[in-house]
Amino acid sequence: MSFVEDQVRRIDAQLDRLVFKSAAIRHTRLPDAAAVDESPDTQAEPQPDLTVSRKLVQLQAAIKALSTKSSSRTLLPATRIASLLERSGLLPTEAAGVDERIEAPAGYDDQLQWLLVGKATTQTYGLILNTLLEQTIPLTNDIWYWDDVLSSYGYTVFYSVQTSPLRLWDWSKDVYHDAKRRLDFVQVSGTISETSDHAADASSSTTTSFRANWGHFYRLVRASIRERSISDIQRRVVSPFAVSRAEARKKQRGLKKLREMNASGLGVLMDEGLTLGSDEEVAHPTRRRGSEDVQANEEWKSVVEKSVALIETVLRNVTELDVAVPEFEDTVFASVEDDPELLTQSSNSDSSLRAPRPALLAKRLHHILKMHYPEQATLFRALTKRYGRPNFLIRYWLPASILLVSSSAILRILVKRKAAVMTWIRELGTTVLDFWTNWVVEPTRKVISTIRHDEEGEVAIMSKRSLEGDRESLERMVVDFATDNPTTQSGAPLTDSQIADIRAKVREGDLTPVLKAYEKDLRRPFMGTVRGDLIRALLIQLQKTKVDVEVAVGGIDALLKSQELVFGFVGLTPGMLVCLGLSHWLSGVLGNRKGYSKIKQQGQMIRVLRNTHRILTASTSSNNGMLSYKEHGLLLCEVHVLRRLARNILPSEIHREFLEEIGDLVDIRTGVERQLKVVERMRWAYDKWMR
């Protein structure tokens, strides 16, 4: 939704309130299609004439179709508006001329016709506003293109190469036309000086004269080329690309002038078109007498007539780039004031001698939609083609030519290395699949298993029963050693309590019986070795070392199990990072084709606010502190872009508040100073969504 649609809805609602408050509509019921089809014998009261009723039903259908409330689209296309005007029955036919009338009750039918014309004017008004808006906004990109060409000699060289075929074609045409003009001049001079004797033997020298003329034409072409080459060398002594830069400056000036003219026309229509008053005045009018009520009813009709004339004048003159913007504005207002149809209606006081005003306005609107609107669009396209950036073919003919020339060599290389290329493609596909399986799918599955405490998903560096088995083996070895080598003086076997005490100490890491025997055998190592006690004690200590290592490893294993989910995400991170990077790159590539991404839209929103602030600060403010028509049109263009960007960036509830700020910004009646304050408030209030 744009401010043009808001403006059309507001004017349409004002027209409904103005028309349906009149006495003619308030006390008369509009016949519907069912009432028209009923038979007169079945009706209790006399009905209007069938022809009149059918015409009123046509008016009703056209009014309903033109209304913004009953249509799914706020702005209707030009063909649709013209078609509704044709089907309404207001347009005079060629046989009857402009004096054809619709015979119906005077007040009733007149108000319906005015309502139809008013709604058609509103739709046409919105259509022209939207067209000027959509035409003006893209011109900025073309102006920036010429800025790039003029800002760097590299861009200038590239532009010269791009347009070199066109220059060569224009140069060839100039040489041809110049040589042809010289040849015609020589032939005419020779014909005047010839005598009648030459005509007698003309048939015998046809071949000779043709060769002579062709040779003479060839010499003229060479002379023209020589003269133009010398003149081109003289012009390009200072800079070989001066012509290209001069052409770029000329086209940039043309685009700037076209943008200013469109902006001025947009501002004129927005400020002066269909000014029916404020919504409060229309909704709650002051109490008037009968004559004042009639005068107020005529005022809005006069506004509609002047708005139609204003639309037509703007469309006729907005593409005239030879005049300055102030002259264009003066011409528009002078043409509206001196409009012949308005002067005729105001001077002709006898209503019986003049054609119906709604019919004339309908005919004029139809003429605007069928003639002036397409002509303006055609002229604008011609001007943008003349001053805009070169088309796609001209800008990319050089790389396309290089690709076309080298395509055969590229094809030969591909054919010779077909097997290698196919291998690369297969390996690339296999690599992508393996990466997806091993670095994305498998880590994800392990993370899910860890979350669900599956045995397969547990992280461990030692088996579960390893420590218990080794510890029990150590206990048995120590108990057997202590049983075989009791440490008591009497040499009596160990009791069960002593064995249990030894087991408990072994669990705590105490190997005192073994160590005592080991120390005793170290005094006589040979005897201890022969008996085997020393070697046995060493093996028990080796088992103890193994158990200690497994206890330490078990601690590490417990630590790993406590951080099992963390390690799972660590294993998943590389694959996810690569996938996110690729998806971000692909979204960026695809996003450049579809439109700006959110970050770019935020940056563009800041630039639009900067342009808005620049328009307001650079304003002359000569009209009671208000913007001029051109500046208002440029401001509307920036605001239109700002609204479109805000719809994609701001949340819905914030967007509604932002639209209120937009409404304050485009209201030029508040003055430039207040508009600047609105821009400053928008910058700090919505900075969160523009960063």
Side-chain angles (χ1 to χ4, degrees):
M1 183 186 298
S2 65
F3 70 90
V4 176
E5 296 179 355
D6 295 341
Q7 183 79 351
V8 170
R9 287 194 181 95
R10 185 181 64 83
I11 297 174
D12 187 77
Q14 288 181 344
L15 284 174
D16 289 337
R17 286 194 291 267
L18 286 170
V19 173
F20 286 103
K21 282 180 180 179
S22 62
I25 297 297
R26 190 165 56 241
H27 297 291
T28 309
R29 181 178 179 271
L30 182 65
D32 53 10
V36 173
D37 294 335
E38 291 179 358
S39 174
D41 299 333
T42 61
Q43 299 177 5
E45 297 180 359
Q47 297 293 324
D49 183 70
L50 187 61
T51 305
V52 175
S53 298
R54 290 191 182 277
K55 291 180 180 180
L56 293 180
V57 170
Q58 291 177 355
L59 288 175
Q60 180 192 25
I63 291 171
K64 184 177 180 181
L66 290 170
S67 180
T68 58
K69 296 180 181 179
S70 59
S71 177
S72 59
R73 297 177 58 183
T74 303
L75 298 178
L76 300 178
T79 54
R80 176 64 174 166
I81 302 173
S83 175
L84 291 173
L85 287 174
E86 293 170 358
R87 289 189 294 177
S88 66
L90 275 182
L91 295 180
T93 60
E94 296 181 358
V98 297
D99 292 331
E100 180 186 352
R101 302 171 185 273
I102 301 176
E103 299 295 339
Y108 180 63
D109 186 61
D110 184 67
Q111 291 295 333
L112 283 182
Q113 292 179 13
W114 273 109
L115 180 59
L116 173 65
V117 171
K119 287 184 176 292
T121 304
T122 303
Q123 287 290 337
T124 306
Y125 172 75
L127 175 67
I128 303 304
L129 282 180
N130 191 67
T131 300
L132 293 177
L133 196 65
E134 297 298 335
Q135 289 176 350
T136 306
I137 292 174
L139 294 178
T140 305
N141 296 329
D142 290 349
I143 293 174
W144 288 347
Y145 174 81
W146 296 121
D147 283 336
D148 293 337
V149 172
L150 295 172
S151 63
S152 172
Y153 276 98
Y155 283 113
T156 304
V157 172
F158 192 62
Y159 171 72
S160 301
V161 174
Q162 286 177 334
T163 56
S164 57
L166 292 179
R167 298 178 189 279
L168 180 61
W169 174 251
D170 294 337
W171 181 79
S172 302
K173 288 195 299 183
D174 291 342
V175 169
Y176 171 77
H177 290 303
D178 183 65
K180 190 173 183 302
R181 178 180 55 81
R182 295 185 181 187
L183 181 62
D184 293 340
F185 178 76
V186 171
Q187 288 178 347
V188 170
S189 300
T191 303
I192 295 175
S193 61
E194 285 178 353
T195 59
S196 59
D197 296 337
H198 180 71
D201 56 349
S203 58
S204 61
S205 60
T206 302
T207 305
T208 305
S209 62
F210 175 77
R211 293 177 179 176
N213 290 336
W214 176 252
H216 190 58
F217 178 75
Y218 178 71
R219 288 192 297 271
L220 291 176
V221 169
R222 292 185 60 184
S224 179
I225 293 174
R226 190 182 305 110
E227 292 177 2
R228 293 181 179 275
S229 300
I230 295 174
S231 62
D232 289 342
I233 292 174
Q234 292 175 350
R235 282 187 304 170
R236 301 181 185 182
V237 169
V238 179
S239 174
F241 305 105
V243 176
S244 298
R245 295 180 66 85
E247 181 181 354
R249 291 191 188 95
K250 179 181 178 182
K251 292 186 176 182
Q252 188 184 46
R253 286 194 300 268
L255 286 178
K256 289 182 177 179
K257 184 62 178 297
L258 182 59
R259 183 180 65 173
E260 291 177 356
M261 294 290 287
N262 269 25
S264 179
L266 183 63
V268 168
L269 289 176
M270 194 70 184
D271 296 343
E272 305 297 336
L274 290 176
T275 54
L276 301 176
S278 62
D279 294 337
E280 291 77 8
E281 295 176 356
V282 175
H284 305 287
T286 58
R287 188 178 298 275
R288 300 185 180 94
R289 298 178 181 177
S291 59
E292 294 178 352
D293 196 7
V294 173
Q295 183 180 0
N297 191 29
E298 289 296 326
E299 286 180 358
W300 74 265
K301 297 177 182 178
S302 177
V303 168
V304 172
E305 290 178 328
K306 290 182 179 180
S307 299
V308 173
L310 182 67
I311 292 172
E312 182 179 4
T313 306
V314 169
L315 284 179
R316 285 204 317 262
N317 297 278
V318 74
T319 53
E320 297 292 336
L321 303 185
D322 297 334
V323 298
V325 173
E327 295 179 3
F328 162 72
E329 296 172 357
D330 295 339
T331 301
V332 169
F333 292 120
S335 299
V336 173
E337 292 296 331
D338 300 335
D339 188 84
E341 293 191 12
L342 295 179
L343 293 176
T344 302
Q345 294 294 334
S346 61
S347 62
N348 195 354
S349 59
D350 190 359
S351 60
S352 62
L353 299 178
R354 65 189 184 194
R357 293 164 63 190
L360 291 176
L361 284 178
K363 180 183 178 182
R364 193 168 187 179
L365 282 173
H366 188 268
H367 184 70
I368 290 173
L369 295 170
K370 288 294 186 179
M371 296 295 297
H372 296 302
Y373 178 71
E375 287 178 359
Q376 189 273 339
T378 303
L379 289 174
F380 181 83
R381 285 194 296 268
L383 289 173
T384 52
K385 183 178 180 180
R386 178 180 178 183
Y387 295 113
R389 73 175 76 183
N391 57 36
F392 182 84
L393 182 61
I394 294 176
R395 282 185 283 133
Y396 295 102
W397 71 267
L398 183 59
S401 301
I402 295 174
L403 181 63
L404 183 62
V405 171
S406 59
S407 60
S408 58
I410 295 174
L411 288 175
R412 284 196 299 270
I413 293 174
L414 293 177
V415 170
K416 290 181 180 179
R417 308 196 63 178
K418 180 179 179 181
V421 171
M422 296 301 296
T423 302
W424 293 342
I425 294 175
R426 284 194 299 269
E427 291 180 354
L428 177 62
T430 304
T431 303
V432 171
L433 291 177
D434 291 343
F435 171 80
W436 177 257
T437 303
N438 299 328
W439 290 94
V440 178
V441 177
E442 287 297 327
T444 304
R445 185 184 60 80
K446 291 180 180 178
V447 169
I448 295 174
S449 299
T450 302
I451 295 174
R452 299 174 59 182
H453 289 285
D454 291 344
E455 294 183 357
E456 297 180 356
E458 293 184 356
V459 178
I461 57 177
M462 184 180 67
S463 60
K464 290 183 177 181
R465 305 295 300 176
S466 176
L467 178 60
E468 288 80 358
D470 289 341
R471 182 176 291 174
E472 292 174 358
S473 176
L474 179 62
E475 290 177 3
R476 289 192 299 269
M477 292 170 66
V478 173
V479 170
D480 293 341
F481 185 84
T483 303
D484 295 340
N485 298 282
T487 58
T488 61
Q489 295 180 356
S490 59
L494 299 176
T495 63
D496 293 338
S497 60
Q498 291 176 338
I499 293 175
D501 184 57
I502 291 173
R503 289 181 182 278
K505 290 181 179 180
V506 170
R507 292 191 188 97
E508 296 176 357
D510 186 5
L511 300 181
T512 301
V514 178
L515 293 177
K516 287 182 178 180
Y518 178 70
E519 293 171 358
K520 183 179 178 181
D521 290 336
L522 283 178
R523 297 173 185 173
R524 289 180 292 180
F526 181 75
M527 293 299 296
T529 303
V530 172
R531 290 197 310 268
D533 293 338
L534 181 61
I535 297 175
R536 189 177 179 185
L538 287 173
L539 292 175
I540 291 174
Q541 293 183 54
L542 182 62
Q543 180 69 16
K544 172 65 168 56
T545 303
K546 180 181 178 183
V547 171
D548 291 340
V549 171
E550 289 183 352
V551 169
V553 173
I556 298 174
D557 193 41
L559 180 64
L560 290 177
K561 289 182 178 180
S562 65
Q563 303 296 324
E564 200 170 3
L565 188 61
V566 175
F567 285 106
F569 280 109
V570 169
L572 182 61
T573 299
M576 296 302 297
L577 288 177
V578 173
C579 292
L580 288 176
L582 288 175
S583 62
H584 181 72
W585 178 75
L586 290 174
S587 63
V589 172
L590 298 177
N592 290 333
R593 297 179 180 178
K594 296 180 179 178
Y596 287 102
S597 62
K598 187 174 182 180
I599 297 177
K600 291 184 178 180
Q601 286 177 343
Q602 291 171 344
Q604 190 179 10
M605 196 171 180
I606 295 175
R607 290 195 299 271
V608 171
L609 278 178
R610 174 258 177 194
N611 295 337
T612 303
H613 191 274
R614 185 171 182 270
I615 291 172
L616 294 174
T617 53
S619 172
T620 56
S621 301
S622 58
N623 188 14
N624 297 325
M626 296 169 57
L627 294 174
S628 64
Y629 294 118
K630 181 190 73 174
E631 293 164 346
H632 190 203
L634 294 175
L635 178 65
L636 292 175
C637 294
E638 299 296 337
V639 167
H640 179 73
V641 178
L642 192 62
R643 288 187 58 156
R644 187 167 54 193
L645 294 172
R647 185 171 60 250
N648 300 327
I649 295 176
L650 300 179
S652 58
E653 64 276 4
I654 304 298
H655 184 255
R656 287 192 292 268
E657 299 175 359
F658 189 81
L659 293 181
E660 296 178 359
E661 305 288 353
I662 291 293
D664 296 337
L665 181 59
V666 298
D667 189 4
I668 65 171
R669 296 172 298 178
T670 59
V672 176
E673 295 183 1
R674 187 171 177 181
Q675 288 175 300
L676 285 171
K677 293 180 181 179
V678 173
V679 174
E680 293 296 333
R681 183 169 67 244
M682 293 170 67
R683 291 181 63 180
W684 64 258
Y686 305 98
D687 180 67
K688 174 183 176 181
W689 294 275
M690 291 188 291
R691 286 183 298 179

